Amino acid sequence: MLITTTSNIEGKRITKYLGLANGEAIIGSNLIKDFFATVRDVAGGRSAAYEQALREAKSIAMKEMIEQAQRLGANAVIGVDLDYQTIGNNGGLLMVSANGTAVVIE
């Protein structure tokens, strides 16, 4: 499955547009991660726990988007956009959504 953020693929011809493909992931962060992330952020360091949570959520969202595109009969997804948001009380949940257009290319 070819995935791109652009609206076309150089050297490839889009023969069919199949519609929107999307995937979402919502991951909760626990209090221990929050505490250590706050300590690291105050000290000016990076938060490995949050970075890992972001990677995990992105991976899940992309996987779901690709699976949906495959169910539609696509062999590529173009115009992919990733959005990140915190939701819930005090931003306790991280949401990542991946959206793109499922297409057939030759």
Side-chain angles (χ1 to χ4, degrees), residues 2 4 7-18 74-78 102-106:
L2 184 58
T4 182
S7 59
N8 58 18
I9 302 168
E10 188 173 338
K12 301 288 185 183
R13 186 169 75 88
I14 297 171
T15 60
K16 196 175 210 179
Y17 290 84
L18 301 171
N75 62 359
V77 181
I78 61 172
V103 297
V104 174
I105 58 172
E106 58 178 32

Side-chain angles (χ1 to χ4, degrees), residues 27-87:
I27 295 179
S29 55
N30 65 38
L31 295 174
I32 295 170
K33 282 184 186 177
D34 288 346
F35 173 75
F36 286 113
T38 302
V39 170
R40 282 189 204 103
D41 289 343
V42 170
R46 293 172 56 175
S47 171
Y50 276 114
E51 288 173 358
Q52 180 58 34
L54 277 171
R55 281 191 290 275
E56 182 181 342
K58 175 186 165 193
S59 177
I60 292 167
M62 291 288 291
K63 182 177 182 255
E64 285 187 3
M65 180 188 69
I66 290 167
E67 288 171 354
Q68 186 177 43
Q70 288 172 330
R71 284 192 300 274
L72 292 170
N75 62 359
V77 181
I78 61 172
V80 173
D81 178 53
L82 294 170
D83 292 313
Y84 299 85
Q85 289 185 355
T86 55
I87 58 176

